[in-house]
Amino acid sequence: MGRLKLQSGIKAIEEEPEECESTSSNKAALACMINSEVGAVLAVMRRNVRWGGRYMSGDDQLEHSLIQSLKALRKQIFSWQHQWHTINPAVYLQPFLDVIRSDETGAPITGVALSSVYKILTLDILCLNTVNVEDAMHLVVDAVTSCRFEVTDPASEELVLMKILQVLLACMKSKVSVMLSNQHVCTIVNTCFRIVHQAATKSELLQRIARHAMHELVRCIFSHLPDVGNTDHALVNRGSSVKLEGIGHDTEYSFGNKQLENGNGGSEYDGQPSSVGFASNSSTGLVASVLDENTIGAGNGKEATAYDLHLMTEPYGVPCMVEIFHFLCSLLNVVEHMEMGPRSNAIAFDEDVPLFALGLINSAIELGGPSIRRHPRLLSLIQDELFRNLMQFGLSMSPLILSMVCSIVLNLYQHLRTELKLQLEAFFSCVILRLAQSRYGASYQQQEVAMEALVDFCRQKTFMVEMYANLDCDITCSNVFEDLANLLSKSAFPVNCPLSAMHILALDGLIAVIQGMAERIGNGSLGSEQSPVNLEEYTPFWMVKCDNYSDPSVWVPFVCRRKYIKRRLMIGADHFNRDPKKGLEFLQGTHLLPEKLDPQSVACFFRYTAGLDKNLVGDFLGNHDEFCVQVLHEFAGTFDFQDMNLDTALRLFLETFRLPGESQKIQRVLEAFSERYYEQSPQILANKDAALLLSYSLIMLNTDQHNVQVKKKMTEDDFIRNNRHINGGNDLPRDFLTELYHSICKNEIRTTPEQGSGFPEMTPSRWIDLMHKSKKTAQFIVADSRAFLDHDMFAIMSGPTIAAISVVFDHAEHEEVYQTCIDGFLAVAKISACHHLEDVLDDLVVSLCKFTTLLNPSSVEEPVLAFGDDTKARMATVTVFTIANRYGDYIRTGWRNILDCILRLHKLGLLPARVASDAADDSELSADPGQGKPITNSLSSAHMPSIGTPRRSSGLMGRFSQLLSLDTEEPRSQPTEQQLAAHQRTLQTIQKCHIDSIFTESKFLQSDSLLQLARALIWAAGRPQKGNSSPEDEDTAVFCLELLIAITLNNRDRIKLLWQGVYEHISNIVQSTVMPCALVEKAVFGLLRICQRLLPYKENLADELLRSLQLVLKLDARVADAYCEQITQEVSRLVKANATHIRSQMGWRTITSLLSITARHPEASEAGFDALLFIMSDGAHLLPANYVLCVDAARQFAESRVGQAERSVRALDLMSGSVVCLSQWAREAKEAMAEEEISKMYQDIGEMWLRLVQGLRKVCLDQREEVRNHALVSLQRCLSGVEGFQLPHSLWLQCFDMVIFTMLDDLLDIAQGHSQKDYRNMEGTLSLAMKLLSKVFLQLLNELAQLTTFCKLWLGVLSRMEKYMKVKVKGKRTEKLPELVPELLKNTLLVMKARGVLVQRSALGGDSLWELTWLHVNNIAPSLQSEVFPDHQGLEQKKDETGKSLVSDETGSAPSNETVA
């Protein structure tokens, strides 16, 4: 049953003994208390002449019955033996209640009796265990609510009224109030309200107390709603509310409405708080009568059934709450009636009554809360009657009322939003969105209250999400989220005016929404993971249903799909408005309409799509084409006219399109309407023709009444006359037609659509339609704290939001407003980053960078101090860098703006010194595995004397010292306190920015962002100019390059991503610079540094990195010269650290080219040679890939005249020592390789050896004697040190031709041609050369003798000896050579003889070797033949046939390996 559950369980049992089982002393105390109350009442009665006499004249009794009963109670009271709770309370209450009811007692007596009852009620004498407590409570309520007394003076009358309120409130608050019936609770509220009503003419205090009591009552009653059980079966009897019978008619139970019995107010009268209070008010009659109608439950007695009475006598529960709530709502209707009445002094009343009623309603909702939804009748009151009134009062001119309405709606949203979907939509569309914009004529106060309310809603974390999911994503609802977000953005914009409280308020709302999204980010389920919606095939879009509104995995995709459909429909509407045919085709293309159009789908498109041109829809529906007629009937079928008045139905129908002008079209449209209306609401209409005729008649009446051109208006009688006999030959009831007539006269049916798509007004017909729709609308989706839809919502509102926050930030002047904006910016950044909305983040960064003031062309004399004094700029700067550090992953083009800020700070000298220093320095000083100690980086700016423009002292301290410096050329005044403070603030701001970590932490940036950062740096550095650029530009370019190199080094794992851009940038600098400057210095050394750092880690990139060093070779000569020594040191360091990582010939070629260049550079050669030593000594890092290149480099050092001859000698030693490597490789090849590979390897080794000896041959021609001679010794060592590997014979022939003979010839030329000044002691050199020839020839004699060309070779040797024998140095014959040559020749001949190479053989043809030998020998030393061959003297003419043993065996020869010069 709809009643309170009695308190059950342990708690109740524990309390009972305290309440009821009172001890004997307690009993006595209670008896004394009641006794004293009796005494008090009697005392006051005795003061009155009427009661003071000894006996009543003309009466049988000695005393009046009231006094008698009080005295009788006194007698009994002390003689009761039982516990108090076993005594019927009626016994000790009745005497007091009789006094209260008696109309003979005056106000003072009634007042004291009321006080006594109050005391008894508040002392907890009554409890649930007391005998007959229910009857007792009923007695009290009946007596107090029908209290009578004589009014002697106004003050005592007010006192009694106050006490009545006090006692009634005590009844409701006492523990036993649960015993009261629904009827009694209604009576109590009714009585209180009448006192409130009457108090209007009494003192202010009584008014306040009465209102307070009413509030307390309502709170008390509705606070029990959560404890009430379900009431479904209590509602069976009737849909309308229960009317309480008897209260309005039976004067015993209520304050009757009698007027004064006597004309004068002084004598006795029924002091009922009735309409007395309105005596002075001109609108009295009306209000009083309305109030009487609205007395709770005093409505029409006929309706109330016995079943209702049965309900009303039950212990109180939902029925009385329904009645009270209904009564409170009806108080709001009173005001509607008021406004039609005379408006005298109406404004106070206009505000007062609704405010009072709304306050009570608000209390009821606050306390009833979510329990209301368990009780359908209460809920339906809220859904319909209350909300309809709220919609009306929402547009009230009074800010107080509006504020109260908004509070109620907020409470309803909190507790009952799932039941109020369309009502909330209507409230926001028709109230908040209308009022918050000045264009609808709302006052500033109304706008402010509406905006405050909206901001309160925005502070509810899920409010905007729910609006979006339930309304924006529903095709039948308006886009409330979008409208509200736009409203907030617009309202925050100060347009041509200073910033006002309203702007800040709107901003708060906007930021509350944004921060709600930001808070949801950590809770999982980011919407961006949703797959894009795509409609593959046609399904009726108005039929799309969701299976489960509580499971996000089901409703989120459903909502996104609905939103997609809605967006497509809007686009379709746009196309339709331009060309209906194309619009429908577009929708068919997006699968929203079927390929073959059917009437139902087109009808639903017209019915459910917002933004269609109503004229076009009207023309389409009125068309005579068969398809259009079918669409019209389907269109009519989408309306629900159940239980609706004809005029309301017609209004709704004609609101959706513009009625066409031609009569046939009107006919067709009205026929379709009438058919549908008759089908659903026949009511008293006989057939659909009756509906058609009446509809026509209403349209004509509407035109007649509201068209200004019609001068003679139709009267009610005319209208009734026109509609005779239309209802199947009979007349329609007159009152039915009268009602229709007045409805149309009062309220025009608009057949032309409202201009502008503003926010509509809520008309009664629209409200009825809304109630119909709300029965069918989709379930309300309750959002949780996860970010399911935030991606889409944020995409909609991000642009206007950033703009609004930026404009407020721009206009603001107070720090708290700045902070609000900054919080907003950070929240926007967080959301953009987490939902991967890079464009939004870039926009935000661009916007914020403007506020740093760093990008403004500096017109200020002291920009640093100006920055220190500008709080806004400093906050913006910190925010920009906070965003860059936190959300850098998602910044793209925004890096350019951030860099502009960094560069500006750099120009001002405000950056910490370490920003540009390579961040990787800190982290990677770890020792290289091959090295003993860490390789410290020599390229940091400290080691590099800059050759460009002198740099300003950078770094914070540098800047500070500048500020403080007093020793500048012009005398400077001591900085003031303010300047120092401003400067200090600037420094603190820059420290908070952590600018350096953008670059040091760049290794954690996402690839796309990193690439954009690098591109931004290259872009900011500008194109390198040929010719002079300003020092400032160069400084910027250098700084950008430093940063670029820093991020390159920091991202060695992603070097491939950056390398191309970095290389091209450095290449541009190198190739466009013609003079030494800081930029080219930084470029070259940066490049070297990158190679140094990355070679150990990036073997696959080694070639590319080393190839980049070829840029150094392209440097302009002047530039190269300036930096040669440092470059060489770096290359040397690079080689020492990474020799093992350089594998390819290409890489080595670059290195050796760089080293070779230094051979002729005075400063650089030392370092270059040092590097070469590192590579070549002991063959440490010689490889087949770099052998030829290193030998070539060593030759250049040997030939170089720079430095001591000693270094050339060491270079030669390196060359000759390298032979060891060749033999080692040959050995290793033999052991490890297959046959084919061995021969290939041998061939390669032969080539390398040939290149080695050719190199040495060149050095043998050196001007310096020491070098020349050492080269010869080294050459000899190389020629004779080849035991470890077999060289093919052909190679030896090449060697003799190209190396030994060429060298001997060249030396001879030099000796004969140059003065001794250039070449000292050539004789010694020639001697060495001769010895070399002899030695090598003899060493190889066995192999050479087998060659077919041996003879030619031998003749070559002899001819050289002959030339050397006869050589003249400086025109003189030498001393040593004539002795040395014959000796060497003799030795050679002896060996040849011994080995059987030179033997005289007799054969036909003669022995050419023998003969030719002696032919030459005799030219050199004729005596030799006899010395070597004593047996053969004089036989030189004799010719013998010889069989030459010259084998042509060229084993091992293969195609020569490609060697690179």
Side-chain angles (χ1 to χ4, degrees):
M1 207 58 242
R3 52 172 292 180
L4 284 171
K5 295 172 188 156
L6 297 181
Q7 270 193 328
S8 59
I10 302 164
K11 188 167 169 226
I13 296 165
E14 282 172 355
E15 287 171 354
E16 282 165 22
E18 292 172 32
E19 293 165 8
C20 309
E21 300 292 327
S22 30
T23 57
S24 56
S25 63
N26 198 2
K27 257 196 303 190
L30 289 173
C32 291
M33 187 275 293
I34 290 179
N35 182 49
S36 67
E37 291 307 313
V38 172
V41 176
L42 286 172
V44 180
M45 290 177 86
R46 288 197 186 101
R47 285 172 59 185
N48 189 310
V49 179
R50 183 193 297 179
W51 310 96
R54 274 167 51 97
Y55 58 89
M56 305 287 290
S57 54
D59 228 322
D60 297 344
Q61 290 164 288
L62 277 171
E63 285 179 308
H64 193 283
S65 59
L66 291 179
I67 293 182
Q68 262 183 348
S69 62
L70 284 166
K71 288 185 173 175
L73 175 58
R74 231 177 184 173
K75 257 186 216 161
Q76 284 173 298
I77 204 162
F78 291 109
S79 59
W80 284 332
Q81 294 305 311
H82 306 290
Q83 299 292 357
W84 271 97
H85 74 275
T86 60
I87 297 165
N88 185 349
V91 177
Y92 50 84
L93 282 171
Q94 195 64 57
F96 297 105
L97 299 179
D98 291 343
V99 173
I100 292 168
R101 276 191 151 151
S102 164
D103 49 8
E104 297 174 25
T105 50
I109 301 170
T110 308
V112 176
L114 284 164
S115 293
S116 304
V117 174
Y118 175 70
K119 195 168 188 180
I120 292 169
L121 285 172
T122 52
L123 274 176
D124 279 343
I125 299 174
L126 305 178
C127 68
L128 295 174
N129 293 7
T130 309
V131 179
N132 284 355
V133 68
E134 195 171 345
D135 298 342
M137 287 303 285
H138 293 177
L139 280 173
V140 172
V141 172
D142 290 345
V144 176
T145 51
S146 52
C147 167
R148 314 280 177 103
F149 59 96
E150 292 174 357
V151 178
T152 50
D153 63 303
S156 57
E157 179 194 0
E158 285 186 21
L159 190 64
V160 173
L161 294 178
M162 267 187 218
K163 289 195 173 171
I164 290 173
L165 292 169
Q166 206 177 24
V167 174
L168 293 176
L169 203 48
C171 284
M172 280 314 301
K173 285 188 170 179
S174 80
K175 289 195 176 75
V176 288
S177 63
V178 290
M179 296 297 187
L180 290 171
S181 67
N182 285 309
Q183 176 83 63
H184 282 103
V185 173
C186 290
T187 310
I188 290 173
V189 175
N190 203 353
T191 305
C192 275
F193 181 71
R194 288 183 170 280
I195 294 177
V196 169
H197 192 12
Q198 192 183 9
T201 55
K202 306 279 189 279
S203 72
E204 181 78 9
L205 182 62
L206 179 65
Q207 287 178 35
R208 294 293 168 90
I209 287 177
R211 287 179 176 223
H212 175 71
M214 189 79 180
H215 263 286
E216 286 297 303
L217 268 181
V218 169
R219 294 176 68 82
C220 193
I221 294 165
F222 279 88
S223 64
H224 287 298
L225 185 60
D227 307 329
V228 173
N230 203 348
T231 58
D232 287 347
H233 62 287
L235 310 170
V236 181
N237 63 333
R238 199 175 69 246
S240 66
S241 65
V242 178
K243 296 288 180 188
L244 310 188
E245 179 160 57
I247 301 180
H249 312 290
D250 184 349
T251 46
E252 193 186 345
Y253 289 111
S254 84
F255 288 73
N257 198 14
K258 300 174 191 167
Q259 293 305 316
L260 299 182
E261 289 182 358
N262 303 339
N264 62 343
S267 67
E268 10 171 330
Y269 80 101
D270 292 352
Q272 302 104 1
S274 59
S275 57
V276 179
F278 282 93
S280 61
N281 196 329
S282 60
S283 58
T284 308
L286 178 74
V287 176
S289 63
V290 170
L291 286 170
D292 284 344
E293 278 170 34
N294 284 285
T295 301
I296 301 183
N300 116 24
K302 286 174 292 190
E303 264 183 49
T305 59
Y307 182 49
D308 292 335
L309 278 177
H310 157 66
L311 259 185
M312 296 314 285
T313 52
E314 297 244 333
Y316 88 94
V318 175
C320 70
M321 295 187 203
V322 171
E323 280 303 325
I324 291 165
F325 204 84
H326 180 61
F327 169 65
L328 295 177
C329 292
S330 64
L331 280 181
L332 297 174
N333 298 337
V334 173
V335 183
E336 290 179 39
H337 298 147
M338 272 299 298
E339 294 188 0
M340 294 167 215
R343 293 291 304 247
S344 54
N345 187 20
I347 200 74
F349 185 84
D350 274 357
E351 195 172 74
D352 200 42
V353 176
L355 251 186
F356 176 56
L358 289 167
L360 294 173
I361 288 170
N362 194 31
S363 295
I365 291 167
E366 281 171 348
L367 289 157
S371 316
I372 293 175
R373 71 159 61 89
R374 296 207 312 266
H375 307 294
R377 289 174 59 201
L378 267 179
L379 186 59
S380 70
L381 273 175
I382 287 175
Q383 287 170 325
D384 189 352
E385 194 173 350
L386 173 63
F387 237 107
R388 188 179 69 238
N389 283 314
L390 292 178
M391 296 293 292
Q392 188 184 348
F393 282 105
L395 297 173
S396 149
M397 292 302 289
S398 154
L400 288 174
I401 290 182
L402 176 55
S403 178
M404 196 46 144
V405 166
C406 293
S407 301
I408 292 176
V409 176
L410 184 59
N411 273 321
L412 288 171
Y413 169 78
Q414 282 297 0
H415 300 309
L416 298 172
R417 58 181 178 271
T418 52
E419 318 298 330
L420 297 170
K421 175 175 157 181
L422 298 183
Q423 286 87 338
L424 287 168
E425 179 201 5
F427 180 74
F428 286 109
S429 297
C430 307
V431 177
I432 298 289
L433 285 161
R434 276 178 80 88
L435 290 183
Q437 303 177 66
S438 47
R439 67 165 187 240
Y440 289 105
S443 68
Y444 179 78
Q445 279 183 317
Q446 278 176 300
Q447 286 178 52
E448 197 167 23
V449 174
M451 187 56 76
E452 276 169 1
L454 176 52
V455 173
D456 286 338
F457 275 100
C458 291
R459 290 187 178 124
Q460 316 304 311
K461 299 289 178 217
T462 58
F463 168 71
M464 281 298 210
V465 191
E466 288 175 349
M467 291 298 106
Y468 181 76
N470 289 296
L471 304 177
D472 287 55
C473 296
D474 187 334
I475 53 169
T476 58
C477 301
S478 52
N479 290 339
V480 171
F481 159 74
E482 211 165 315
D483 292 337
L484 293 178
N486 284 336
L487 170 68
L488 288 169
S489 307
K490 274 188 206 148
S491 307
F493 255 86
V495 184
N496 308 329
C497 61
L499 206 58
S500 69
M502 182 77 108
H503 297 129
I504 305 297
L505 190 60
L507 181 75
D508 282 343
L510 208 50
I511 288 175
V513 177
I514 293 292
Q515 284 180 330
M517 288 185 187
E519 283 167 26
R520 281 194 289 275
I521 279 168
N523 305 334
S525 280
L526 296 183
S528 51
E529 295 143 27
Q530 294 266 320
S531 52
V533 179
N534 220 340
L535 299 180
E536 296 302 330
E537 53 185 40
Y538 166 72
T539 45
F541 60 83
W542 62 96
M543 308 276 280
V544 179
K545 289 279 180 287
C546 177
D547 303 330
N548 184 350
Y549 283 97
S550 51
D551 177 4
S553 63
V554 178
W555 69 253
V556 173
F558 164 71
V559 160
C560 294
R561 180 182 165 86
R562 265 200 322 192
K563 183 64 181 171
Y564 174 82
I565 291 173
K566 191 171 184 178
R567 284 204 175 106
R568 292 276 144 192
L569 284 173
M570 302 297 265
I571 300 169
D574 203 40
H575 285 297
F576 180 87
N577 292 345
R578 275 178 270 161
D579 179 341
K581 190 170 172 219
K582 282 192 181 151
L584 296 175
E585 281 169 8
F586 168 79
L587 289 167
Q588 285 172 295
T590 54
H591 303 300
L592 285 174
L593 291 178
E595 282 178 36
K596 184 177 187 311
L597 285 179
D598 65 82
Q600 189 189 18
S601 57
V602 178
C604 289
F605 167 63
F606 289 158
R607 179 78 167 96
Y608 299 119
T609 307
L612 286 172
D613 182 331
K614 293 185 178 179
N615 292 326
L616 290 173
V617 177
D619 287 342
F620 191 102
L621 294 175
N623 201 318
H624 60 77
D625 176 70
E626 189 187 345
F627 182 72
C628 295
V629 173
Q630 288 174 328
V631 171
L632 172 61
H633 282 273
E634 286 288 351
F635 182 75
T638 60
F639 286 85
D640 175 12
F641 296 140
Q642 202 78 44
D643 305 325
M644 219 181 259
N645 285 347
L646 181 67
D647 68 310
T648 304
L650 193 56
R651 285 175 204 281
L652 288 175
F653 187 64
L654 296 178
E655 244 176 29
T656 51
F657 61 93
R658 181 178 182 174
L659 195 61
E662 300 159 44
S663 56
Q664 293 100 324
K665 287 188 177 181
I666 295 176
Q667 166 97 24
R668 275 191 289 276
V669 169
L670 289 180
E671 271 174 6
F673 164 75
S674 309
E675 198 174 305
R676 176 68 175 166
Y677 182 75
Y678 180 71
E679 187 185 307
Q680 288 194 297
S681 289
Q683 290 166 342
I684 51 175
L685 297 171
N687 50 31
K688 64 178 184 186
D689 292 342
L692 175 63
L693 290 168
L694 193 52
S695 306
Y696 242 122
S697 188
L698 288 177
I699 295 283
M700 287 163 66
L701 172 66
N702 190 57
T703 311
D704 173 272
Q705 291 295 321
H706 300 286
N707 190 330
V708 285
Q709 291 166 343
V710 178
K711 295 290 179 269
K712 185 174 185 302
K713 301 292 186 194
M714 192 187 298
T715 62
E716 186 180 328
D717 290 338
D718 296 338
F719 177 68
I720 291 168
R721 198 177 308 114
N722 291 347
N723 290 302
R724 276 193 198 141
H725 312 310
I726 63 169
N727 196 20
N730 299 320
D731 284 351
L732 286 160
R734 185 181 179 97
D735 53 355
F736 173 72
L737 291 173
T738 304
E739 194 184 334
L740 285 176
Y741 174 83
H742 287 296
S743 170
I744 301 292
C745 292
K746 254 194 305 192
N747 200 348
E748 179 186 359
I749 297 177
R750 296 192 175 276
T751 50
T752 52
E754 292 172 4
Q755 286 309 306
S757 58
F759 296 104
E761 278 184 81
M762 181 49 72
T763 58
S765 56
R766 282 182 188 156
W767 184 258
I768 292 168
D769 185 43
L770 184 143
M771 292 317 294
H772 274 138
K773 275 186 190 161
S774 65
K775 295 188 184 93
K776 295 176 187 167
T777 187
Q779 194 178 329
F780 188 95
I781 296 168
V782 181
D784 60 16
S785 58
R786 285 176 289 177
F788 293 119
L789 301 170
D790 287 354
H791 178 276
D792 300 349
M793 290 166 60
F794 187 68
I796 291 171
M797 67 182 292
S798 58
T801 301
I802 294 177
I805 303 176
S806 302
V807 173
V808 174
F809 190 60
D810 193 21
H811 284 65
E813 287 165 8
H814 298 291
E815 210 158 316
E816 58 271 30
V817 182
Y818 298 160
Q819 193 53 55
T820 307
C821 294
I822 295 292
D823 292 344
F825 284 134
L826 287 172
V828 169
K830 181 176 180 183
I831 301 164
S832 314
C834 293
H835 291 294
H836 306 305
L837 296 163
E838 290 87 355
D839 302 355
V840 177
L841 195 55
D842 284 338
D843 291 348
L844 175 65
V845 167
V846 170
S847 190
L848 267 170
C849 286
K850 289 178 190 152
F851 294 119
T852 60
T853 66
L854 297 170
L855 307 184
N856 310 351
S858 177
S859 51
V860 195
E861 281 182 20
E862 264 296 355
V864 180
L865 297 181
F867 184 71
D869 288 328
D870 188 343
T871 311
K872 187 188 293 184
R874 292 201 316 278
M875 287 175 90
T877 307
V878 173
T879 310
V880 167
F881 289 109
T882 305
I883 290 173
N885 276 311
R886 269 190 215 164
Y887 309 116
D889 276 344
Y890 304 98
I891 296 175
R892 298 288 180 265
T893 53
W895 282 122
R896 291 189 173 191
N897 303 72
I898 292 172
L899 271 175
D900 286 343
C901 295
I902 293 177
L903 290 174
R904 179 76 178 132
L905 291 170
H906 171 68
K907 282 176 187 163
L908 296 174
L910 288 174
L911 286 188
R914 56 161 298 154
V915 169
S917 76
D918 163 20
D921 280 352
D922 310 339
S923 54
E924 290 172 16
L925 294 180
S926 56
D928 199 65
Q931 296 300 112
K933 67 177 201 295
I935 309 130
T936 51
N937 192 335
S938 64
L939 288 171
S940 59
S941 34
H943 297 176
M944 223 182 288
S946 171
I947 300 186
T949 53
R951 289 276 291 275
R952 234 175 308 196
S953 59
S954 69
L956 294 172
M957 293 324 294
R959 188 59 219 176
F960 204 52
S961 58
Q962 275 180 23
L963 180 80
L964 298 173
S965 64
L966 301 171
D967 53 353
T968 39
E969 292 154 27
E970 52 195 87
R972 285 180 74 163
S973 57
Q974 186 78 30
T976 63
E977 286 283 322
Q978 285 94 328
Q979 285 177 320
L980 284 173
H983 204 277
Q984 200 54 47
R985 283 194 295 272
T986 301
L987 302 189
Q988 283 164 354
T989 301
I990 304 303
Q991 275 165 343
K992 277 188 211 157
C993 290
H994 302 296
I995 295 170
D996 51 336
S997 52
I998 293 177
F999 303 99
T1000 56
E1001 301 298 310
S1002 63
K1003 53 178 160 291
F1004 303 116
L1005 275 184
Q1006 278 189 5
S1007 301
D1008 290 348
S1009 179
L1010 179 66
L1011 194 57
Q1012 292 289 352
L1013 173 57
R1015 284 179 185 161
L1017 278 165
I1018 291 167
W1019 170 83
R1023 299 286 305 164
Q1025 309 280 316
K1026 286 213 173 192
N1028 297 336
S1029 55
S1030 72
E1032 200 160 73
D1033 287 347
E1034 194 197 4
D1035 193 30
T1036 300
V1038 169
F1039 181 65
C1040 288
L1041 185 59
E1042 284 177 348
L1043 293 177
L1044 187 61
I1045 291 167
I1047 65 167
T1048 308
L1049 292 175
N1050 258 317
N1051 288 279
R1052 63 175 191 223
D1053 296 329
R1054 296 188 283 181
I1055 184 70
K1056 279 191 169 151
L1057 186 70
L1058 299 172
W1059 180 245
Q1060 194 56 38
V1062 174
Y1063 174 74
E1064 281 171 14
H1065 181 57
I1066 291 178
S1067 170
N1068 285 335
I1069 294 172
V1070 167
Q1071 294 178 17
S1072 63
T1073 312
V1074 290
M1075 291 300 285
C1077 62
L1079 180 61
V1080 74
E1081 176 189 357
K1082 182 61 75 180
V1084 171
F1085 291 110
L1087 188 60
L1088 282 161
R1089 178 129 129 262
I1090 291 171
C1091 291
Q1092 276 184 30
R1093 265 305 163 65
L1094 299 182
L1095 275 173
Y1097 304 103
K1098 294 285 158 193
E1099 302 211 346
N1100 52 347
L1101 267 180
D1103 284 1
E1104 214 168 314
L1105 290 169
L1106 291 165
R1107 188 184 300 130
S1108 69
L1109 291 179
Q1110 292 174 1
L1111 284 177
V1112 179
L1113 304 174
K1114 297 179 186 169
L1115 282 169
D1116 184 274
R1118 285 168 290 193
V1119 181
D1121 192 52
Y1123 301 123
C1124 195
E1125 183 179 3
Q1126 285 153 291
I1127 290 174
T1128 314
Q1129 284 170 356
E1130 289 310 319
V1131 173
S1132 171
R1133 196 171 274 107
L1134 174 85
V1135 169
K1136 287 179 181 175
N1138 298 303
T1140 51
H1141 300 292
I1142 306 172
R1143 300 274 160 77
S1144 72
Q1145 193 170 5
M1146 203 284 313
W1148 279 112
R1149 178 173 296 127
T1150 308
I1151 296 287
T1152 51
S1153 314
L1154 288 167
L1155 294 177
S1156 305
I1157 293 171
T1158 64
R1160 287 174 179 63
H1161 195 281
E1163 287 92 21
S1165 57
E1166 189 59 51
F1169 187 65
D1170 188 39
L1172 195 62
L1173 260 176
F1174 173 77
I1175 299 170
M1176 292 183 73
S1177 50
D1178 305 330
H1181 294 289
L1182 281 175
L1183 305 164
N1186 68 6
Y1187 184 85
V1188 172
L1189 297 165
C1190 290
V1191 165
D1192 199 47
R1195 176 184 64 72
Q1196 299 204 33
F1197 274 101
E1199 289 176 347
S1200 165
R1201 304 290 297 265
V1202 175
Q1204 302 298 318
E1206 183 205 351
R1207 189 165 71 209
S1208 299
V1209 170
R1210 283 168 72 198
L1212 290 166
D1213 288 344
L1214 288 177
M1215 292 172 78
S1216 59
S1218 68
V1219 171
V1220 179
C1221 285
L1222 295 177
S1223 15
Q1224 187 187 336
W1225 294 338
R1227 237 188 352 269
E1228 287 166 1
K1230 210 169 189 177
E1231 290 163 12
M1233 291 185 180
E1235 196 62 45
E1236 284 173 30
E1237 290 174 338
I1238 291 177
S1239 61
K1240 170 86 172 70
M1241 186 67 189
Y1242 270 24
Q1243 193 180 343
D1244 292 349
I1245 289 173
E1247 296 278 347
M1248 291 183 231
W1249 174 80
L1250 188 61
R1251 294 294 289 272
L1252 167 67
V1253 292
Q1254 281 177 316
L1256 284 167
R1257 170 188 74 75
K1258 291 179 185 165
V1259 189
C1260 291
L1261 312 178
D1262 198 277
Q1263 284 186 356
R1264 297 164 296 177
E1265 179 191 2
E1266 186 186 345
V1267 176
R1268 195 167 60 226
N1269 294 349
H1270 194 75
L1272 279 163
V1273 173
S1274 301
L1275 180 60
Q1276 186 176 324
R1277 199 183 303 156
C1278 291
L1279 290 168
S1280 55
V1282 288
E1283 292 84 11
F1285 48 97
Q1286 285 120 11
L1287 293 174
H1289 299 142
S1290 59
L1291 199 64
W1292 278 114
L1293 291 174
Q1294 263 183 302
C1295 174
F1296 269 94
D1297 274 350
M1298 294 164 63
V1299 179
I1300 301 173
F1301 291 163
T1302 314
M1303 175 198 71
L1304 289 169
D1305 296 349
D1306 289 349
L1307 281 173
L1308 203 60
D1309 291 350
I1310 289 168
Q1312 290 170 336
H1314 290 75
S1315 67
Q1316 194 68 12
K1317 214 190 277 174
D1318 294 336
Y1319 286 86
R1320 303 208 167 156
N1321 193 6
M1322 274 306 287
E1323 194 178 350
T1325 305
L1326 295 175
S1327 307
L1328 282 170
M1330 224 54 252
K1331 286 175 185 169
L1332 177 142
L1333 174 67
S1334 165
K1335 188 168 182 185
V1336 173
F1337 181 75
L1338 288 175
Q1339 186 183 334
L1340 295 169
L1341 185 59
N1342 291 351
E1343 284 94 339
L1344 296 174
Q1346 293 162 31
L1347 299 178
T1348 49
T1349 51
F1350 175 69
C1351 185
K1352 184 182 168 197
L1353 179 69
W1354 170 233
L1355 288 177
V1357 173
L1358 286 174
S1359 68
R1360 299 310 187 280
M1361 285 185 166
E1362 191 178 331
K1363 284 180 189 169
Y1364 269 58
M1365 182 76 186
K1366 297 171 183 167
V1367 71
K1368 287 183 178 180
V1369 179
K1370 292 194 197 164
K1372 296 178 194 164
R1373 296 292 289 265
T1374 59
E1375 297 167 13
K1376 294 180 187 168
L1377 282 171
E1379 293 171 16
L1380 179 66
V1381 173
E1383 195 182 318
L1384 290 172
L1385 182 55
K1386 180 183 175 185
N1387 191 25
T1388 308
L1389 291 168
L1390 284 168
V1391 174
M1392 287 172 78
K1393 175 188 171 188
R1395 296 197 187 162
V1397 176
L1398 187 65
V1399 183
Q1400 183 179 14
R1401 301 162 201 265
S1402 58
L1404 289 170
D1407 184 350
S1408 57
L1409 177 69
W1410 176 265
E1411 299 203 351
L1412 291 170
T1413 302
W1414 297 119
L1415 198 65
H1416 280 281
V1417 170
N1418 290 336
N1419 289 343
I1420 299 167
S1423 62
L1424 276 179
Q1425 188 171 7
S1426 58
E1427 289 176 30
V1428 180
F1429 287 94
D1431 314 343
H1432 292 271
Q1433 279 180 342
L1435 294 177
E1436 64 272 4
Q1437 295 302 319
K1438 182 175 180 180
K1439 290 190 175 165
D1440 250 344
E1441 190 183 286
T1442 57
K1444 292 179 201 154
S1445 161
L1446 296 174
V1447 183
S1448 173
D1449 178 15
E1450 300 190 62
T1451 46
S1453 83
S1456 76
N1457 189 22
E1458 174 193 328
T1459 53
V1460 189

